[in-house]
Amino acid sequence: MKKNKFSFWLLVWGLGIAGQICWNMENQWFNTFVYAKIAKDPTIISWMVGISAAATTISTFLFGCVSDRIGKRKILVAVGYILWGIFTIGFGMTEFLTKGDAGKTSAVLMATGVAVVSADAIMSFFGSMGNDIGFTAWINDHMNDNNRGQLGAAIATQPVIGTIVGTVVGGMLVGAEDNYLRLFLVMGGAVILFGVISLLFMKDSEALKPNKNESFGKQFFSILNFKNYIKLKELAWVNLSLAVYFIAFNMYFAHIGNYMIYYLGFTADMMGFIEGGALILAMLSTIPVTKALNNKKEPIVSFLSVIINSLGVAVLGIFVRPNNVNTESIINPVLLIGIFLLGVGYVLFLQAITVWSKQLYPEDARGQFEGIRILFFVLIPMIIAPLLANPIIKRSGEFVDENGFTEYLPTHTLLIAGAVLVLLTILPLIPATKHHRERTSK
């Protein structure tokens, strides 16, 4: 029993953190890789974001249906993680397509851009198969009243750990010589390793059974039946809350690094120390909240986390300016307080909303409903957030450098807008809470 419990938590944390580090690498280092090795062209990055989000969503719906029909998660995790790692390394190999600066003709750059976008999409496709569907559905299969809070805390803190480790270790691997291939080899290799470990030690839940609802086509498209989904009113409102929150989150947090480096004036390593330290402290907030989630207090934690997150972003937007920070020191109290509150709100919201939504999934379609979650968690926010952020940055952060080139930097204005937008999450949380009370009071 103790051995099985140890193996379970080893897989929870090992697969979870490896996956989050790899997602962080895609979000943080792929963009800098394109600028360093391919071309300083934001168009490539825009296509990467859009296509990879679509690939992720398609993968979750497809493999969610497959997983439910065959009644297995383990094979999706193992195969997904191994292929995820292989194509991560393959993405890094695209730097050789340009053959140095002399090979960067228009035709070569176009072909390389297509290769980069394709490699990222394929990587995201299998990453979603292994992590978003296989791993998260496996977690959901094993979630019960005794471990709900602990699993929620693990799922919530893993993205933060992935951000911290991915930022610090990733920077060390890339180094001053821009050795991105070393980064992709190490990170891709780690994901492959955990794919092999899952193949050897992972066990599917005994309660998980195959669920074949007529033909594959009918079962696959049944998840797109909007009328049936709306009948699950509490889940629909919870997912809408997830979407609104992460539209706001992606609007400001995607630019927080550039805000600290290019607007406030910190170096990249100093930014990493400040952000990493504040987020490490923020992770501690999951410990006292675990008991509340085990006692079905998800709505209270969700409301509280939204307010804390908005307050943290507002502190940065209202009180922090380039002329009142010390870029040579980590000790910047107001900046640290803002990032700490931002991190606490983010960690607690992800912890609460994850636990809340997972217990609402129909038992015979948990894999497919992970696909719906990705729709609200990834696709919708990643499409809408740039549409909101880009005009704000261009209107409030336009600068002309010493060479006469126009630059667009994220400033405090973006953060103030983000603080306001985060509060809109409260609107769908209100009806979600109403349905939660009706369900838990029975």
Side-chain angles (χ1 to χ4, degrees), residues 105-117:
T105 63
S106 297
V108 170
L109 285 177
M110 181 175 291
T112 304
V114 171
V116 167
V117 172

Side-chain angles (χ1 to χ4, degrees), residues 45-76:
I45 295 172
S46 297
W47 279 101
M48 280 172 53
V49 171
I51 301 268
S52 66
T56 296
T57 305
I58 293 171
S59 177
T60 53
F61 279 111
L62 174 63
F63 290 111
C65 183
V66 170
S67 180
D68 289 335
R69 284 180 67 85
I70 65 176
K72 296 181 184 297
R73 317 293 189 200
K74 173 181 176 177
I75 189 65
L76 268 71

